[in-house]
Amino acid sequence: MAHLFSPYTLQGVTLRNRIAMSPMTMYRSHDGHMGDFHLMHLGARAAGGFGLVFGEQIAVCAEGRTSVHCAGLWRDDQVPGHARTVAMVEAMGGVAGIQLAHTGRKGSEQLPWEGKAQLPPEHPDGWLTSGPSPVPFGGPKHDHAVHELTVAEIHGLHRAWADAARRAAEAGYRWMELHFAHGYLGSSFFSPISNRRTDAYGGSLENRARFLLEALDAVRGAWPEEYPLTMRLGADDLHPDGTTFDDAVTAIGWMREHGLDLADLSFGGNTPDSRDAMRGEQGAWVDRARRIRAEIGIPVAASWNLGVPQTADEAVRSGALDVVLLGRPALANPHWPVWAARELGHDDPFSLVPDDYAWWLRNMRGHTPSIGWPEPRVVR
């Protein structure tokens, strides 16, 4: 039976365990480049035992960032910073994943700790955001005008996704995810809340999924076949007028036919209050993942409230999830996999970290809890 610490192979890539660090925007980039912070931040999680390590969402064009402080891969001179970080993650035993994205109508933001309000296009750090329709995201912080993308601009963005995928392969990444959730561009095309178009990219479910499928096709053509191509989908808007999970089941079936290797489930995020619906529910997407596995037969990952080791392990053991994605738990504890292994009674928790770490930790002397890991409270 597979469990949280079992190796996992998808296409030609094997993860040492089923634990992944989820992409999180950290606002530490300059002109889209990854630097020393990313080397430290992502390398530490690989050294901490995570099998798959994502950085933040990576913009396919400058206007696809959340803010001017966010990373991208729209120019060749951005490749070396990615390559340096990838090499560190791989040296620490992890697989480096990249998530390509365009924030759409949710871009042009302030730093979150400065208010996270959307900056107007005339601001030095702002720009005119774009989307499927000229509908602002809404709420008091995102009320500026939105440019409705033309069909030619849509095709240009698909080429940008493909170009970024080629650069990602050049940088050494071996796992690719496309971000079609959280109210960003792919999600806003998929949702009837934000997509009011009357052409081939709007209206029916098939039309609303067209932007996503064409982006998938563009990347599939540029990304090495032996490496996984996955997608984070806004699988439910949690809103009566939005995307339903039935929509997502159908669309994921189409995506599988277009070369998708794994579906990463999350919420649509096309209204300002949608995130509130996710609070407090442990393993919020596990049951939905189980349905995708049963009906579509595609591998599935999910995040959101899986930071309790017993919950994460059971999601894998029950066959609902192939990979567990952790965001805030990975920030709170770079060695979350080791802590989880001790909590779950793993025979050799320190086998999850590089040999030099493991040697020191296995050869503990003196007061055991003083190394920083208290005795486990639960043993499976």
Side-chain angles (χ1 to χ4, degrees):
M1 176 188 293
H3 54 82
L4 195 60
F5 308 104
S6 301
Y8 178 63
T9 299
L10 187 64
Q11 297 297 90
V13 175
T14 298
L15 306 179
R16 59 186 169 184
N17 56 52
R18 310 297 184 101
I19 309 168
M21 177 180 174
S22 190
M24 287 169 287
T25 303
M26 302 303 294
Y27 306 93
R28 295 274 190 162
S29 292
H30 300 280
D31 195 25
H33 291 271
M34 296 180 77
D36 288 348
F37 167 80
H38 301 91
L39 188 73
M40 174 279 298
H41 175 59
L42 303 179
R45 272 69 192 175
F50 285 84
L52 175 63
V53 178
F54 282 103
E56 61 197 75
Q57 59 174 336
I58 302 300
V60 300
C61 60
E63 296 78 17
R65 293 175 291 177
T66 301
S67 77
V68 295
H69 306 284
C70 298
L73 199 48
W74 66 86
R75 293 198 315 262
D76 291 344
D77 67 351
Q78 293 163 336
V79 171
H82 286 269
R84 183 168 171 250
T85 302
V86 168
M88 176 61 77
V89 169
E90 298 274 342
M92 294 296 105
V95 170
I98 183 170
Q99 185 189 71
L100 295 183
H102 189 299
T103 54
R105 62 192 190 139
K106 289 183 71 177
S108 187
E109 287 186 350
Q110 290 177 313
L111 292 169
W113 46 92
E114 293 178 357
K116 201 175 171 59
Q118 192 170 60
L119 299 170
E122 62 272 15
H123 190 281
D125 291 337
W127 58 87
L128 177 64
T129 63
S130 57
S133 303
V135 181
F137 181 68
K141 295 185 177 183
H142 292 80
D143 58 355
H144 294 293
V146 175
H147 167 66
E148 180 175 333
L149 290 164
T150 66
V151 172
E153 289 169 335
I154 289 172
H155 294 166
L157 285 172
H158 291 150
R159 288 192 296 273
W161 247 288
D163 290 342
R166 290 189 192 96
R167 294 186 185 104
E170 180 183 343
Y173 286 104
R174 295 194 291 136
W175 189 293
M176 168 74 67
E177 179 168 278
L178 308 184
H179 196 352
F180 297 151
H182 302 174
Y184 298 136
L185 189 61
S187 181
S188 66
F189 265 94
F190 193 48
S191 174
I193 292 174
S194 45
N195 187 344
R196 314 281 178 83
R197 298 177 76 100
T198 57
D199 63 3
Y201 290 93
S204 67
L205 175 61
E206 182 178 11
N207 283 357
R208 287 186 280 114
R210 191 181 307 277
F211 178 93
L212 287 67
L213 293 171
E214 289 181 354
L216 179 60
D217 288 343
V219 170
R220 183 77 280 176
W223 181 244
E225 190 67 32
E226 66 269 24
Y227 295 158
L229 176 55
T230 72
M231 165 273 313
R232 173 169 282 184
L233 181 66
D236 195 329
D237 271 328
L238 307 173
H239 188 284
D241 299 326
T243 300
T244 67
F245 192 66
D246 286 339
D247 293 339
V249 173
T250 300
I252 291 170
W254 295 336
M255 290 178 188
R256 184 184 184 191
E257 294 172 0
H258 284 250
L260 186 71
D261 297 316
L262 175 146
D264 172 9
L265 304 182
S266 194
F267 68 103
N270 287 291
T271 55
D273 59 350
S274 61
R275 187 179 295 260
D276 295 337
M278 300 296 299
R279 297 185 190 279
E281 184 182 350
Q282 196 174 156
W285 291 93
V286 172
D287 286 341
R288 293 180 177 95
R290 202 183 315 276
R291 181 179 166 192
I292 294 293
R293 286 287 302 273
E295 296 188 22
I296 307 301
I298 192 172
V300 184
S303 55
W304 292 101
N305 301 338
L306 288 167
V308 175
Q310 291 79 5
T311 301
D313 187 49
E314 181 57 31
V316 176
R317 288 179 181 271
S318 70
L321 294 180
D322 295 279
V323 177
V324 171
L325 288 149
L326 302 174
R328 288 167 181 82
L331 289 183
N333 184 355
H335 285 83
W336 189 95
V338 178
W339 170 69
R342 299 184 81 232
E343 287 286 298
L344 294 170
H346 191 287
D347 290 340
D348 187 4
F350 301 130
S351 65
L352 277 68
V353 297
D355 289 342
D356 47 357
Y357 281 64
W359 184 87
W360 281 106
L361 294 170
R362 286 182 182 129
N363 289 277
M364 292 179 280
R365 289 175 289 275
H367 184 234
T368 300
S370 294
I371 68 166
W373 279 301
E375 288 298 316
R377 293 170 306 213
V378 178
V379 176
R380 180 176 288 280

